[in-house]
Amino acid sequence: MTIGKILLYYCFTPIEDPTAIMLWQRSLCEKLGLKGRILISEHGINGTVGGDMDACKRYVRETREYPGFKKMEFKWSEGGAEDFPRLSVKVRDEIVAFGAPGELKVDENGVIGGGVHLKPEEVNKLVEERGEEVVFFDGRNAMEAEIGKFKNAVVPDVRTTHDFIAELESGKYDWMKDKPVVSYCTGGIRCEILSALMKNRGFNEVYQIDGGIVRYGEKYGNDGLWEGSMYVFDKRMHHEFGQGLEDPGFIQLGHCVHCGKGTNTFHNCINEDTCRKQVLICDDCIQHAETQHCGRPDCAEVAAAQAQA
Ligand SMILES: [Zn+2]
Ligand SMILES: [Zn+2]
């Protein structure tokens, strides 16, 4: 049996001909038997692919042969090709959809005008030095923060990254424009863009965490400024640091929408026709059709009808 791996990576660098890169990456992945999802734009590349260990190693080596990707970091994680339904390699206006392709500027060193990168220990040092003045700003979708976030973080009201610009321009966050603001997201890619958008809108002292929550959590587990679980976009749905759910420092932030019991498991609302919501439902409530909904009245009706059937 061969050992599988998953690679996660991104790189902001000018790409003159995204279509050529897309075709090259597609044939490279096909040749190596990798599956997953790769997005390419004129600002860079963002990918998650899985396959055999040896194939992944070759993929890294060959991908780094493109000058713009030479210094790209790859994060290795457990898994394999079987974790993905197919291979998808696409050209898009943006590698993360903020709806601001014309605003983002990159050069060979990455995003121009983004927040200052902080290593996990530098995040703690900033908080030690500046205390409560420091604001943590969640760069993810609000739902993700329901199960975990930095202590006292501000969680913007966004359903997708597309909502950030309106949110930043709403005036709601003007009070933090002269404070040290630490933006954070899962692996760091969203904050590369978000921190630049914030600086362009008058937030004067913006930081971002190198490697995002992932790297901070690997370093400090549940003994730092992070609280709860980290939402992940694969079938696991959530990840805990340190000793996991049994860790004495672990704080359960998520609660079942029906009974209030602590949980960090998201489920799709039963009303799949008109509601795409993922919602926290505990292990008990998910057993019964009448509580497999998100709480919206029409969804509750669908659930009730299912329970009758
Ligand atoms: Zn419940
Ligand atoms: Zn619903």
Side-chain angles (χ1 to χ4, degrees):
M1 212 187 106
T2 54
I3 301 167
K5 282 286 172 190
I6 292 177
L7 294 168
L8 299 98
Y9 53 94
Y10 70 83
C11 176
F12 288 96
T13 188
I15 294 180
E16 215 169 284
D17 189 349
T19 303
I21 298 295
M22 180 267 283
L23 294 170
W24 164 56
Q25 282 285 307
R26 182 182 286 160
S27 66
L28 177 60
C29 290
E30 281 170 353
K31 181 180 78 177
L32 297 170
L34 302 182
K35 282 186 183 174
R37 184 179 145 87
I38 303 172
L39 292 179
I40 296 145
S41 78
E42 58 185 35
H43 304 120
I45 186 168
N46 177 18
T48 311
V49 296
D52 292 345
M53 168 92 92
D54 287 340
C56 287
K57 281 182 183 165
R58 266 187 72 185
Y59 176 77
V60 170
R61 205 163 53 230
E62 293 197 28
T63 295
R64 280 191 178 138
E65 282 171 13
Y66 179 74
F69 301 156
K70 209 171 144 192
K71 288 181 282 182
M72 181 153 65
E73 284 180 42
F74 291 82
K75 184 148 182 69
W76 292 77
S77 147
E78 301 309 312
E82 66 280 6
D83 288 292
F84 302 93
R86 68 185 74 84
L87 173 68
S88 160
V89 189
K90 288 186 174 138
V91 173
R92 286 278 159 80
D93 285 345
E94 300 175 287
I95 52 173
V96 189
F98 276 88
E103 189 177 332
L104 186 65
K105 298 279 178 280
V106 303
D107 64 16
E108 42 296 330
N109 299 311
V111 173
I112 300 171
V116 175
H117 286 86
L118 297 179
K119 295 194 172 70
E121 53 273 26
E122 293 172 321
V123 174
N124 285 12
K125 193 163 157 259
L126 181 74
V127 172
E128 271 162 35
E129 286 169 5
R130 309 281 291 273
E132 307 227 314
E133 203 197 345
V134 178
V135 181
F136 283 94
F137 191 77
D138 203 303
R140 302 171 299 162
N141 307 328
M143 182 198 93
E144 298 173 57
E146 287 176 23
I147 57 169
K149 59 186 177 61
F150 274 89
K151 206 176 170 201
N152 298 324
V154 170
V155 180
D157 183 19
V158 299
R159 213 172 42 79
T160 75
T161 43
H162 246 286
D163 300 333
F164 266 110
I165 289 185
E167 192 72 0
L168 290 175
E169 292 176 352
S170 69
K172 275 194 246 177
Y173 309 103
D174 287 359
W175 60 272
M176 59 173 84
K177 282 189 166 170
D178 290 314
K179 291 180 183 290
V181 178
V182 181
S183 68
Y184 66 88
C185 61
T186 313
I189 184 171
R190 289 180 271 185
C191 289
E192 297 273 6
I193 302 164
L194 176 63
S195 65
L197 298 177
M198 292 179 83
K199 286 183 67 185
N200 289 349
R201 284 161 184 76
F203 294 81
N204 289 311
E205 192 180 349
V206 184
Y207 301 92
Q208 54 183 320
I209 305 179
D210 246 357
I213 301 161
V214 171
R215 193 167 299 164
Y216 187 92
E218 282 170 356
K219 170 105 184 167
Y220 289 107
N222 297 300
D223 303 321
L225 301 162
W226 174 260
E227 293 181 338
S229 306
M230 177 178 70
Y231 183 88
V232 291
F233 291 87
D234 60 38
K235 57 193 173 195
R236 294 171 301 158
M237 304 288 278
H238 58 87
H239 173 77
E240 287 73 36
F241 297 109
Q243 300 164 51
L245 294 168
E246 308 308 318
D247 193 300
F250 176 73
I251 298 171
Q252 179 87 264
L253 292 193
H255 294 281
C256 174
V257 288
H258 298 294
C259 72
K261 207 169 93 181
T263 181
N264 42 19
T265 315
F266 284 97
H267 295 275
N268 292 319
C269 176
I270 198 169
N271 184 12
E272 281 177 345
D273 291 340
T274 64
C275 181
R276 294 260 183 91
K277 223 176 152 190
Q278 285 189 338
V279 61
L280 288 169
I281 302 175
C282 76
D283 294 345
D284 293 331
C285 292
I286 200 63
Q287 305 295 330
H288 311 287
E290 64 264 31
T291 43
Q292 287 174 12
H293 64 87
C294 69
R296 221 170 69 183
D298 59 319
C299 298
E301 266 175 44
V302 171
Q306 288 272 348
Q308 294 276 323

